Amino acid sequence: MIELIDGGVWLFNGREAVEDTPENSGLLVKRLGADRAKKPAREGTITHGILSSHNRGKDGAGLRLKFDALASHDITFVNIIQTAQACGLERFPLPYILTNCHNSLCAVGGTINEDDHLFGLSAAEKYGGVWVPAHLAVIHSYMRETWAGCGRMILGSDSHTRYGALGTMGVGEGGGELVKQLLGETYDIGYPAVVGVYLSGKPGNGVGPQDVALALIGAVFKNGFAKNAVLEFTGEGAAGLSVEFRSGIDVMTTETACWSSIWETGETVRDYLALHRRASDYKALRPADVAYYDRFIRIDLSRIKPMIALPFHPSNVYEIDSLLENPGDILRQVEKDAAGLFENRNINFTLTDKIDEKGRIRAGQGIIAGCAGGTYENIMAAAAVLEKTPESAALPGAFSLSVYPGSQPVLLELARNNAAASLVSRGVILRTAFCGPCFGAGDVPANNCLSIRHSTRNFPNREGSRPADGQIASVALMDARSVAATMASGGFLASAARFPVPEKFPPYHYDDSPYRSRVFDGSGRPRKEASLRYGPSITGWPEMENLGEHLLLKIASFITDPVTTTDEIIPSGETSSYRSNPVGLAEFTLSRKDPSYVGRAKALREAEALRLDLAGKGFPGGKDAFPEFGPLPELSPLISGLSELPAAGPAELADMRIGSAIYAAKPGDGSAREQAASCQRVLGGLANFALEYATKRYRSNLINWGILPFTLDGEPAFRNGDYIFIPRVRTALVKGGETLNALIIRSEPAPSGTGGFVFTSFPLALKTPVLTPGEKEIVLAGSLINYNRSRLR
């Protein structure tokens, strides 16, 4: 079904793949000559051509990319524009599209949602951007329909920024990277590995794009096969897929942990762009006659079966039929694996109770939504499955199905061809374009309910439950076809392979009148005299100190889960009502994972503010001369002790920074939202420690907010509550030293009756974070805002 080749592969004429192995040396010499030069062949990939055309750097100095367009939604664009404005923004120098698809329901947070929407409109007017009102389109549907074109690059502040099916390399990043583009700076990255994905065959009955995507994610996520790479899709199987089928696979490549994706283009892409009145945006993209890939994946589409990703990750993948043959053992294993996620919580998470006496699995809810599920073809396929269900057949129990078309043009076509009427008549709830089900702001299921969804993610509490309050529901990802098959089966889990699903659907007629009626397009036409419209909850960023010569960090949270998602660092859903208030939003940091973190971090932040205030007033410092620091009485004697170290005398401690730090084994999987980093910084966070970072975008977010991304070679010797003193860190970053000699300092109360504290220290060798020159300047300045303010001055 899926074959992984962990080594180089030569691709000839876009169709013949030959592994770069000793066994194939004779064939390769015959085809390529004795030298078998790889550099020209590496330049034969589609990826290389697009990256080269967008690179502003010098040869051999890595990539310094300028993008063709930017895209943000209403959870991210307010903070991005505020940050850019604080750095001296005067106009949007490239097309910037602001969609309002994440906080469209104005029932949570009072007026803040619509206040933010109107702030976006005023910014589009003032700086020259595009503004898409709420309910009109989800961000990636709109970008596919109106902006993605062959050979382009688009940067979005959403992790599912993927338009490879249309020949556009999409990259999802935190807001800081978009700010750099708005200020005329570049996106700097080393050249990524390119992984060829060769598709052959054609999908069988009932198999949709989500099935192919889940099979791919299951094969490559846990082993890191695609991490931070570009997935380049080729092959006769790719050529035989519609653009929407390709897009359904492509948008889910984010869950493989790849950096971007690209597909060969052809007749179907040309026709899609012509249908959307953008024929001039088409260009044939195909690997050169000889192309070389760092790794390779073969997928036989004909062998893909309807799939399901069980809680709590898109890589927890099974064939639906295999699950239904052995539901007890598989669901018990999921329960066991999930137990560690909710230890020390009052959580009653079960899946085996969904198995009835006949061995069937009952679901409580179905969702087809967003950039992954809400396409015309997916909804038409679901309608075709449900047409086999009589209109009068009442569904037993509490199973419900909601369908969210990705855009108003799609909904308009469904209304015109009567598919909408067919769905509604069979009990489907038809909703407007909204990303809520993908991040917990819409259709939140009941506690301990199993929801099956054609959406993007099924992380813990991503669907909107609150583990801290004893709530947990769970999501299983499936294709729209099998979600509809489950509804047709009375709410019992079913594979769409049991239902005849048409290979082709009535032709789609694109009508952009909803956009022409409502979208504001001021791209390239800024109005400097226009004023930004602020709501009462839109606040600016607090001041942030630069990096001191020395760091004293306290571990304020210690997370040992195999992976920590950005949703667990800063929860989505209702908490995003505070997204335009950095201080208010920070109160929710790790609230679903470690509710005590915020209190610990704030206590340290307040102590540091007091210390800096005293230092500014000429406080002398020195042994026993430091004040008591409120809830951290150990801090005063600790600092006094540090002042006696040769590496940090009393005078030098004036250039020390004290802050909190988080340890997590592998943080940052999932969303691109920068708040996972900025909230830590607002609370006084100065570092993360990890065995590895799940995504490049999370590490970039840390750097842009002045948080040092340390990595460890093995399990940490420190524990929660320990202090870590890192002397000369600023000098090491400037000079480029490879290691830092730090100290772990453990504080414990002195024996009863004696008062004071006993400190124990252990040496700790840290690797100096590897930073690009630009990243180094940002960290030294303390944040991207500080760096740009200094640069402009």
Side-chain angles (χ1 to χ4, degrees):
M1 180 170 67
I2 295 182
E3 177 189 3
L4 305 183
I5 301 173
D6 194 7
V9 169
W10 299 83
L11 186 68
F12 298 100
N13 301 313
R15 293 296 180 265
E16 181 188 355
V18 179
E19 294 184 48
D20 189 13
T21 62
E23 292 79 7
N24 291 329
S25 59
L27 172 61
L28 291 171
V29 168
K30 183 177 179 181
R31 300 288 294 272
L32 300 165
D35 60 346
R36 286 191 289 174
K38 294 177 183 176
K39 185 176 185 295
R42 289 183 190 275
E43 295 175 357
T45 63
I46 303 171
T47 299
H48 185 275
I50 296 177
L51 291 178
S52 296
S53 68
H54 290 80
N55 185 23
R56 302 297 180 265
K58 297 179 180 179
D59 290 343
L63 295 169
R64 302 187 65 195
L65 300 172
K66 286 287 191 77
F67 288 80
D68 298 298
L70 307 178
S72 293
H73 51 65
D74 48 342
I75 280 183
T76 58
F77 67 60
V78 175
N79 286 161
I80 290 169
I81 294 167
Q82 284 181 294
T83 302
Q85 184 188 31
C87 297
L89 176 70
E90 295 183 353
R91 64 189 299 273
F92 295 156
L94 72 170
Y96 189 14
I97 295 85
L98 312 176
T99 64
N100 295 278
C101 53
H102 275 57
N103 284 295
S104 306
L105 301 180
C106 298
V108 178
T111 67
I112 183 172
N113 294 304
E114 195 62 18
D115 290 344
D116 281 1
H117 298 169
L118 294 181
F119 174 90
L121 175 59
S122 69
E125 292 173 338
K126 182 175 181 64
Y127 298 120
V130 178
W131 181 81
V132 184
H135 304 287
L136 213 59
V138 301
I139 179 171
H140 304 309
S141 295
Y142 185 80
M143 295 303 291
R144 289 174 198 151
E145 291 171 348
T146 62
W147 283 94
C150 301
R152 293 178 180 168
M153 293 194 74
I154 293 176
L155 182 66
S157 56
D158 184 272
S159 58
H160 290 102
T161 304
R162 292 285 187 268
Y163 314 120
L166 287 165
T168 294
M169 289 185 68
V171 178
E173 277 285 0
E177 295 302 324
L178 278 78
V179 171
K180 292 176 185 176
Q181 296 286 308
L182 291 174
L183 299 176
E185 300 167 12
T186 56
Y187 178 99
D188 301 344
I189 187 175
Y191 198 91
V194 183
V195 179
V197 185
Y198 194 93
L199 303 182
S200 61
K202 58 181 291 188
N205 178 66
V207 173
Q210 186 83 322
D211 298 312
V212 180
L214 293 178
L216 174 60
I217 295 163
V220 304
F221 175 77
K222 293 177 182 177
N223 57 22
F225 194 84
K227 184 176 178 180
N228 293 333
V230 176
L231 295 183
E232 183 164 311
F233 290 79
T234 62
E236 69 275 7
L241 298 177
S242 71
V243 167
E244 288 202 340
F245 201 111
R246 297 182 196 191
S247 294
I249 300 170
D250 186 64
V251 73
M252 292 297 291
T253 60
T254 295
E255 309 310 324
T256 70
C258 76
W259 175 69
S260 187
S261 60
I262 193 68
W263 293 58
E264 65 174 56
T265 64
E267 182 179 342
T268 55
V269 176
R270 183 196 64 199
D271 292 347
Y272 178 94
L273 291 172
L275 174 67
H276 289 79
R277 304 189 182 93
R278 296 193 292 121
S280 61
D281 290 340
Y282 175 72
K283 181 169 66 175
L285 298 176
R286 183 180 169 93
D289 291 344
V290 179
Y292 188 86
Y293 295 91
D294 299 289
R295 295 185 290 279
F296 211 71
I297 303 171
R298 297 179 190 269
I299 302 178
D300 183 349
L301 296 172
S302 67
R303 297 180 60 193
I304 301 291
K305 305 296 183 184
M307 310 294 289
I308 183 169
L310 291 170
F312 284 100
H313 199 274
S315 64
N316 194 15
V317 173
Y318 297 85
E319 292 182 359
I320 293 176
D321 286 342
S322 297
L323 171 63
L324 295 178
E325 289 170 4
N326 186 23
D329 289 345
I330 292 175
L331 295 185
R332 273 190 291 272
Q333 184 61 48
V334 176
E335 291 174 343
K336 181 180 178 182
D337 293 343
L341 297 173
F342 308 117
E343 59 184 343
N344 303 322
R345 303 284 185 91
N346 183 28
I347 295 292
N348 179 32
F349 168 68
T350 57
L351 285 175
T352 50
D353 62 333
K354 279 69 174 177
I355 305 172
D356 76 352
E357 65 281 356
K358 296 180 181 179
R360 300 176 298 180
I361 301 172
R362 181 181 288 280
Q365 181 194 64
I367 304 285
I368 300 170
C371 56
T375 64
Y376 174 74
E377 288 181 6
N378 284 333
I379 297 172
M380 290 298 296
V385 170
L386 290 171
E387 281 178 0
K388 309 302 178 185
T389 306
E391 290 184 32
S392 59
L395 287 174
F399 185 85
S400 65
L401 174 58
S402 294
V403 172
Y404 295 73
S407 71
Q408 287 290 87
V410 171
L411 179 58
L412 185 58
E413 182 67 9
L414 295 172
R416 285 174 171 165
N417 69 14
N418 292 319
S422 176
L423 289 166
V424 172
S425 69
R426 287 166 174 82
V428 174
I429 306 301
L430 203 58
R431 304 189 187 274
T432 57
F434 178 41
C435 296
C438 291
F439 71 100
D443 279 309
V444 179
N447 181 57
N448 208 35
C449 175
L450 173 62
S451 177
I452 55 172
R453 301 187 174 194
H454 191 157
S455 59
T456 53
R457 290 194 173 122
N458 61 338
F459 296 162
N461 59 260
R462 175 90 179 184
E463 81 303 321
S465 58
R466 299 179 181 177
D469 295 336
Q471 307 169 7
I472 189 65
S474 55
V475 169
L477 300 180
M478 297 165 61
D479 190 85
R481 294 149 184 80
S482 292
V483 173
T486 299
M487 183 176 188
S489 301
F492 292 104
L493 205 66
S495 162
R498 294 175 41 212
F499 293 77
V501 183
E503 289 188 19
K504 295 187 179 295
F505 305 98
Y508 176 65
H509 304 91
Y510 176 66
D511 183 345
D512 67 347
S513 57
Y515 297 156
R516 288 184 281 110
S517 299
R518 299 281 328 276
V519 171
F520 172 81
D521 185 355
S523 186
R525 301 185 301 277
R527 292 177 51 230
K528 291 184 179 181
E529 71 278 8
S531 299
L532 293 177
R533 174 168 174 161
Y534 287 90
S537 295
I538 299 176
T539 63
W541 294 103
E543 292 296 319
M544 300 171 193
E545 293 288 331
N546 64 359
L547 180 67
E549 176 67 4
H550 312 291
L551 277 182
L552 179 61
L553 305 168
K554 185 174 186 179
I555 304 299
S557 188
F558 193 94
I559 303 169
T560 58
D561 294 349
V563 178
T564 302
T565 69
T566 49
D567 284 282
E568 291 172 303
I569 298 172
I570 184 64
S572 56
E574 81 287 353
T575 60
S576 63
S577 293
Y578 295 87
R579 65 199 167 273
S580 305
N581 181 339
V583 175
L585 183 63
E587 294 288 333
F588 295 93
T589 313
L590 285 172
S591 59
R592 295 176 182 173
K593 195 69 184 173
D594 184 358
S596 300
Y597 163 76
V598 169
R600 297 189 198 109
K602 287 171 68 174
L604 206 64
R605 182 190 66 185
E606 291 161 10
E608 173 67 344
L610 173 61
R611 188 186 73 88
L612 290 174
D613 180 60
L614 292 169
K617 295 175 181 176
F619 191 79
K623 181 175 173 56
D624 300 324
F626 291 87
E628 293 296 325
F629 290 112
L632 298 173
E634 78 279 5
L635 198 53
S636 179
L638 192 158
I639 296 173
S640 296
L642 290 178
S643 69
E644 298 180 343
L645 294 176
E652 293 195 5
L653 284 185
D655 194 20
M656 179 174 70
R657 298 289 181 265
I658 301 175
S660 56
I662 287 174
Y663 167 77
K666 188 178 179 181
D669 188 24
S671 172
R673 71 176 69 96
E674 64 181 304
Q675 290 96 330
S678 65
C679 285
Q680 294 179 53
R681 189 69 169 98
V682 167
L683 292 169
L686 296 177
N688 271 201
F689 295 91
L691 302 181
E692 65 173 307
Y693 292 94
T695 58
K696 182 264 179 196
R697 56 184 173 269
Y698 176 70
R699 186 178 183 275
S700 294
N701 286 339
L702 294 176
I703 292 166
N704 285 329
W705 286 103
I707 297 175
L708 283 165
F710 289 108
T711 54
L712 306 173
D713 286 329
E715 295 299 319
F718 54 79
R719 63 191 186 193
N720 208 16
D722 283 351
Y723 287 89
I724 298 176
F725 178 60
I726 312 174
R728 310 294 188 201
V729 63
R730 187 180 185 92
T731 296
L733 286 177
V734 171
K735 293 184 176 179
E738 294 183 1
T739 59
L740 293 162
N741 295 316
L743 280 179
I744 300 171
I745 304 171
R746 189 161 294 157
S747 168
E748 295 178 311
S752 177
T754 62
F757 297 87
V758 175
F759 297 100
T760 309
S761 63
F762 314 89
L764 174 65
L766 287 173
K767 291 185 290 187
T768 304
V770 178
L771 305 173
T772 67
E775 290 174 336
K776 189 179 298 184
E777 291 298 322
I778 291 168
V779 170
L780 293 174
S783 69
L784 180 63
I785 294 176
N786 291 358
Y787 166 74
N788 277 305
R789 282 175 175 167
S790 175
R791 183 174 63 90
L792 289 171
R793 283 197 296 268

